[in-house]
Amino acid sequence: MSTISLPPLPPGRVVEDADVALGYATDRSLGSTAPEEYVVVRARDRADVVAVLEHAQAHRVAVVPQGARSSLCGGSTAIAGGIVLNVEALQRLEIDRAERYATVGPGVVTADLKQAAASEGLAYPPDPASSPFCTIGGNVATNAGGLCCVKYGVTAGYVLGLEVVLAGGEVIRTGRRTAKGVAGLDLTGLFVGSEGQLGVVTEAVLRLVPASDPPLTVLATFASLADATRGLLALRNDRHGPNLLEVLDGPSLRAIQAMQDFGSPEDAAAALLVQSDRPGSTDADVRRYAELLSDAGADAVAVADDEQEAEALMAGRRALAPALERKGSHFIEDVCVPVSRLGDLIAAAHEVGERTGVDITLSGHGGDGNLHPCLFFDDSPGSRERAEGAFADLVDVALRMGGTITGEHGVGTLKRRWLPRELGEAELARQRAVKAVFDPLGIMNPGRPL
Amino acid sequence: MSTISLPPLPPGRVVEDADVALGYATDRSLGSTAPEEYVVVRARDRADVVAVLEHAQAHRVAVVPQGARSSLCGGSTAIAGGIVLNVEALQRLEIDRAERYATVGPGVVTADLKQAAASEGLAYPPDPASSPFCTIGGNVATNAGGLCCVKYGVTAGYVLGLEVVLAGGEVIRTGRRTAKGVAGLDLTGLFVGSEGQLGVVTEAVLRLVPASDPPLTVLATFASLADATRGLLALRNDRHGPNLLEVLDGPSLRAIQAMQDFGSPEDAAAALLVQSDRPGSTDADVRRYAELLSDAGADAVAVADDEQEAEALMAGRRALAPALERKGSHFIEDVCVPVSRLGDLIAAAHEVGERTGVDITLSGHGGDGNLHPCLFFDDSPGSRERAEGAFADLVDVALRMGGTITGEHGVGTLKRRWLPRELGEAELARQRAVKAVFDPLGIMNPGRPL
């Protein structure tokens, strides 16, 4: 039995079954394990959140705000002696068609919001790869990105206002519901991406946009990384740029091809997968993209003329996750560099792989310079440590290029050690002081990363 | 002679001539006057800013960061006993073409940055009406908007990173130069719109976008505000929405028409001025906009077929400022409401005008629900106070509609009294505490608005 202090809560909130609780203790990050002692509360409404945070501050108990546990960096795992406060049951979802915003509970699955918006002829663009199961609370907490950011930007660009419960139980509302507004400091933006360290979001007002067209797709393969980078820059500078501009390195392509024949050349250095969703112009766009890619030196360019062909081209990209799975144990990372350095980053990662004997593939959101290195290991002694060491080398490379340790996953516990290097001690100290304004006793998701 | 304490500074920094200093003591806000005692420092580089802020904190002297003094809400006027720290001379302007960002000193005039970007085939979209003379430092401080926000959003969407000197002289760098990045709290966004209350921006890294086409224009007049609002909503929901969607109420149109014949019907309730700058599609867009406006009930719709005609239609809009000037003494205000309430706001403002006997015109960024009421007064006793009272009534109307006291100008000193009502005391207290993290002694632009 847990001895962690909890406030009185209505029935059904506290998870009593140890096996069920265990399911809430870990997330999708590498090596995520449950601590000895923790307790899980499944909030059903704001009052539950207020009660927990009021009590937790009074008793100095750590609180981990949690949604779908899709974090890859240890942002939502249980903390020893702490309360896991799951908010998946906060499911409000209302759309204001005329004003084009949605009022959304943190437990709403991102794909469900996207579907609800689509049924009104609108769109909620942010699309982390986990959107079929991740939730809006986590998207706000991590400022989630995804495949469409190259055209539509990240979550922060869509959050108009928030309702947040602070440590101690105070409820504040930030932001606005109007299209513009500059009254006071932008606390909304401060909460977005704060990784659950400033409070618990209990409601978000999210901007919607008019729906786009079903996308058409171009796939181009390149024999050289320099040509692929050139193609990527040409597309990024097009005045009707793509809504998706993904890159796959040679090892990623070969992993996919090993599972199923998608026709990738054996010696391809990289592939670019490009889409247009521009209303009424997808066809013209993909033809222009194909020309730009050929001009940049692509070996082979395939253009999808219709939605079905577009799907076929995307199938290869979608096969990546199972193909990596098939290759063996691995962890998926997240760095971002200036886009013109993308080819250099891939080449440097392959060098790190060769030097350390670690198998590394890179793929991701090329149009933003945001790649997801995938590092493989096995059960042999020291294998996982070698993979982690290789990633540390890669972080070093990315930072030297003027990049960041995380483009979209967040810092969490796993990347905390590099944060001082990226931010510098002066900014880090200010960030800690800002956190203390909202959480003076440091009970909110402590150490993730501040 | 001023007795205000200053650090040792290189020659030419401190303004010795009282008449010259007076020019730096006021801004464009109503009733802006110079205090008895103040001192003006014209910084030439970051070292000057550091020296002043280090000294000012040590001696608890108020500092007003200042650019072009284009504030309409008293954000940059001298404070009694304080230092005006003008940064117009910080003029760095470098463009990274491949990565599509500019590194910009706070003294760079917005129009100059726009021009520099254009010469590289790029664009810096934010376009406050004051862009020919306002500066980037002020744009960042107020999160400046403008005419194009309906398509391109506000300044915050373009600020990737900042260099800021804090009270006490510490220099911090926030943000990034990559397209994405989520390491740590978003202090960049916190500084944007903070009205000089957290520190002095000495450099901004600003995102640029590919250039658009020269715009084509549609002008539609309406006999009823309800029809004009319907037209506005139809355009806003178009999947290729306009880059400019301005509204002019009947009194604004009549003021323009009184100066020069632009062919506005005498009894028009409102006009919408709409543009497309979409590369390759401006012609198709304006024709579609014209149909949407006719369908919404427009009396007359004029479409500009070429750039010259587009200019002719815009000339009427540009004549607004001189036409209002000609009408008499006035102040220009700034509120924002949900877009579907725009017609209601205009009608309510006219009712306020009739009830109080104050002449009121409204115009502005209709597509964002962001209007600039213009309130007239004369030299007769109580006239100006009546105009100010009428505006207070209008603020009340806007807040009741779910609007904000400022869409883009900022709060400054003039709208400070309404801030608690809009934010609530809980959020306001948090904002003050956040300010204290960066400015513990409260020397940075005190009272504007925190």
Side-chain angles (χ1 to χ4, degrees):
Chain A
M1 276 303 289
S2 163
T3 59
I4 297 163
S5 173
L6 281 175
L9 287 165
R13 267 57 166 183
V14 180
V15 176
E16 308 285 359
D17 184 298
D19 289 337
V20 175
L22 194 60
Y24 289 93
T26 58
D27 61 20
R28 289 176 175 243
S29 48
L30 181 68
S32 158
T33 54
E36 277 283 304
E37 197 182 28
Y38 63 94
V39 64
V40 178
V41 175
R42 288 184 293 205
R44 293 209 192 144
D45 54 25
R46 191 182 68 196
D48 291 343
V49 176
V50 168
V52 168
L53 291 186
E54 192 176 4
H55 186 91
Q57 172 154 299
H59 295 78
R60 298 203 177 208
V61 180
V63 176
V64 179
Q66 187 188 76
R69 303 174 295 290
S70 54
S71 173
L72 293 170
C73 60
S76 56
T77 56
I79 287 175
I83 301 167
V84 170
L85 179 57
N86 189 286
V87 294
E88 282 177 296
L90 276 70
Q91 285 284 337
R92 182 176 176 191
L93 175 47
E94 284 169 34
I95 290 179
D96 186 322
R97 180 79 190 74
E99 299 298 329
R100 279 210 326 245
Y101 63 73
T103 308
V104 186
V108 170
V109 169
T110 308
D112 292 345
L113 169 60
K114 291 170 88 74
Q115 184 50 48
S119 71
E120 299 276 353
L122 297 172
Y124 175 69
D127 62 344
S130 51
S131 61
F133 50 91
C134 67
T135 50
I136 290 299
N139 289 186
V140 170
T142 57
N143 190 12
L147 284 75
C148 75
C149 304
V150 67
K151 176 173 175 182
Y152 293 103
V154 295
T155 300
Y158 296 87
V159 185
L160 294 174
L162 295 171
E163 178 187 86
V164 184
V165 184
L166 303 181
E170 186 186 357
V171 180
I172 70 170
R173 284 182 182 75
T174 70
R176 57 185 208 277
R177 285 163 196 246
T178 50
K180 288 161 80 178
V182 293
L185 298 177
D186 180 16
L187 297 191
T188 305
L190 189 63
F191 281 109
V192 177
S194 62
E195 302 197 31
Q197 296 219 280
L198 302 182
V200 179
V201 171
T202 47
E203 203 165 276
V205 181
L206 302 174
R207 185 168 73 89
L208 305 175
V209 299
S212 53
D213 271 3
L216 292 184
T217 304
V218 185
L219 176 67
T221 51
F222 292 85
S224 98
L225 288 171
D227 288 349
T229 305
R230 188 160 41 244
L232 184 142
L233 289 171
L235 290 174
R236 195 164 172 269
N237 287 325
D238 187 87
R239 299 203 299 167
H240 298 294
N243 63 291
L244 178 148
L245 178 37
E246 296 282 298
V247 66
L248 296 150
D249 72 348
S252 299
L253 291 170
R254 286 185 279 282
I256 294 169
Q257 189 71 11
M259 195 169 69
Q260 191 184 333
D261 184 7
F262 285 98
S264 277
E266 183 55 35
D267 57 349
L272 293 179
L273 193 66
V274 191
Q275 287 193 333
S276 167
D277 68 352
R278 186 161 66 108
S281 302
T282 53
D283 200 61
D285 283 349
V286 290
R287 286 176 197 290
R288 196 175 62 259
Y289 298 164
E291 267 180 47
L292 289 168
L293 292 165
S294 290
D295 291 351
D299 275 342
V301 181
V303 179
D305 279 316
D306 56 37
E307 284 181 55
Q308 207 172 347
E309 281 185 37
E311 265 309 296
L313 290 185
M314 283 301 285
R317 167 69 179 80
R318 258 193 288 279
L320 178 64
L324 297 178
E325 213 54 63
R326 194 162 170 269
K327 241 174 109 72
S329 299
H330 63 272
F331 57 96
I332 294 174
E333 264 301 344
D334 170 49
V335 294
C336 190
V337 294
V339 281
S340 56
R341 303 303 304 275
L342 205 79
D344 299 337
L345 178 70
I346 293 173
H350 293 166
E351 280 166 30
V352 167
E354 274 166 39
R355 197 180 65 238
T356 57
V358 174
D359 209 357
I360 304 178
T361 66
L362 292 100
S363 61
H365 319 311
D368 295 311
N370 181 198
L371 284 193
H372 296 309
C374 184
L375 296 100
F376 293 84
F377 57 93
D378 58 30
D379 293 339
S380 66
S383 175
R384 185 173 133 185
E385 291 70 21
R386 264 199 308 281
E388 289 175 344
F391 180 64
D393 290 354
L394 196 48
V395 165
D396 191 61
V397 168
L399 287 174
R400 279 172 202 271
M401 285 179 178
T404 168
I405 59 172
T406 174
E408 58 181 13
H409 289 176
V411 176
T413 49
L414 297 187
K415 292 173 117 166
R416 193 185 180 200
R417 60 175 160 143
W418 293 299
L419 194 61
R421 176 156 167 215
E422 176 163 342
L423 297 183
E425 288 296 343
E427 192 189 336
L428 197 55
R430 294 288 162 184
Q431 298 207 353
R432 292 201 176 102
V434 169
K435 172 170 164 59
V437 166
F438 298 92
D439 176 24
L441 303 183
I443 65 162
M444 294 305 306
N445 219 11
R448 292 156 176 204
L450 302 177
Chain B
M1 275 304 289
S2 161
T3 59
I4 296 164
S5 173
L6 281 176
L9 287 164
R13 268 58 167 183
V14 181
V15 175
E16 307 284 359
D17 184 297
D19 289 338
V20 175
L22 194 59
Y24 288 94
T26 60
D27 62 21
R28 288 175 176 244
S29 47
L30 181 68
S32 158
T33 55
E36 277 283 305
E37 196 182 27
Y38 62 95
V39 64
V40 178
V41 175
R42 288 185 293 204
R44 294 208 191 144
D45 53 26
R46 192 181 68 196
D48 291 344
V49 176
V50 169
V52 168
L53 291 186
E54 191 177 5
H55 186 90
Q57 171 154 298
H59 295 78
R60 297 203 177 209
V61 180
V63 175
V64 179
Q66 186 189 77
R69 303 173 295 290
S70 54
S71 173
L72 293 169
C73 60
S76 55
T77 57
I79 287 175
I83 301 166
V84 170
L85 179 57
N86 189 287
V87 293
E88 283 177 296
L90 275 69
Q91 285 284 335
R92 182 178 175 187
L93 175 47
E94 284 169 33
I95 291 179
D96 185 321
R97 180 78 189 74
E99 299 299 327
R100 279 208 328 243
Y101 64 72
T103 308
V104 186
V108 170
V109 169
T110 308
D112 292 344
L113 169 60
K114 291 170 88 75
Q115 184 50 49
S119 71
E120 299 275 354
L122 297 172
Y124 174 70
D127 64 342
S130 51
S131 61
F133 50 91
C134 68
T135 50
I136 290 300
N139 289 186
V140 170
T142 58
N143 191 9
L147 284 76
C148 75
C149 305
V150 67
K151 176 172 175 182
Y152 293 103
V154 295
T155 300
Y158 297 87
V159 185
L160 295 175
L162 294 171
E163 177 186 86
V164 184
V165 184
L166 303 181
E170 187 185 357
V171 180
I172 70 170
R173 284 183 184 78
T174 70
R176 58 185 206 277
R177 286 165 194 243
T178 50
K180 291 161 78 179
V182 293
L185 299 176
D186 181 16
L187 297 190
T188 306
L190 188 64
F191 280 109
V192 176
S194 63
E195 302 197 32
Q197 294 218 281
L198 302 183
V200 179
V201 171
T202 46
E203 203 164 276
V205 181
L206 302 174
R207 186 168 72 90
L208 305 175
V209 299
S212 53
D213 271 3
L216 292 185
T217 303
V218 185
L219 176 67
T221 52
F222 292 85
S224 97
L225 287 172
D227 289 349
T229 305
R230 190 160 37 245
L232 185 142
L233 288 172
L235 290 173
R236 195 165 172 270
N237 287 325
D238 187 86
R239 299 202 299 166
H240 298 295
N243 64 292
L244 178 148
L245 178 36
E246 296 282 298
V247 65
L248 296 149
D249 72 348
S252 298
L253 292 170
R254 286 185 279 283
I256 294 168
Q257 190 71 10
M259 195 170 69
Q260 190 184 333
D261 184 7
F262 285 98
S264 272
E266 184 53 34
D267 57 349
L272 294 179
L273 194 66
V274 191
Q275 287 193 333
S276 166
D277 68 351
R278 185 161 65 107
S281 302
T282 53
D283 200 61
D285 283 349
V286 291
R287 286 176 197 290
R288 196 175 61 258
Y289 298 163
E291 268 179 47
L292 289 168
L293 292 165
S294 290
D295 291 350
D299 276 342
V301 180
V303 178
D305 278 318
D306 56 37
E307 283 180 56
Q308 207 173 348
E309 281 185 38
E311 264 309 295
L313 290 185
M314 283 300 284
R317 168 68 180 82
R318 258 193 289 278
L320 179 63
L324 297 178
E325 213 54 62
R326 194 162 169 269
K327 240 174 110 72
S329 298
H330 62 273
F331 56 97
I332 294 174
E333 263 301 345
D334 170 49
V335 294
C336 190
V337 295
V339 282
S340 56
R341 303 303 303 276
L342 205 79
D344 299 338
L345 178 71
I346 293 173
H350 293 166
E351 280 165 33
V352 167
E354 275 164 37
R355 198 180 65 239
T356 57
V358 173
D359 210 357
I360 303 178
T361 66
L362 292 100
S363 61
H365 319 310
D368 295 311
N370 181 200
L371 285 193
H372 296 308
C374 184
L375 296 100
F376 293 84
F377 58 93
D378 58 30
D379 292 339
S380 68
S383 175
R384 185 173 132 184
E385 290 70 20
R386 264 200 307 283
E388 289 175 345
F391 180 64
D393 291 353
L394 196 48
V395 165
D396 192 60
V397 168
L399 286 174
R400 279 171 203 274
M401 285 180 177
T404 168
I405 58 172
T406 174
E408 57 180 14
H409 288 176
V411 177
T413 49
L414 297 186
K415 293 173 117 167
R416 192 184 180 203
R417 61 175 160 143
W418 293 298
L419 194 61
R421 177 156 165 215
E422 176 162 342
L423 297 183
E425 288 296 343
E427 191 189 335
L428 197 54
R430 294 288 162 183
Q431 297 207 354
R432 291 201 177 102
V434 169
K435 173 171 164 57
V437 166
F438 297 92
D439 176 25
L441 304 182
I443 65 162
M444 293 305 308
N445 220 9
R448 294 157 175 202
L450 302 177

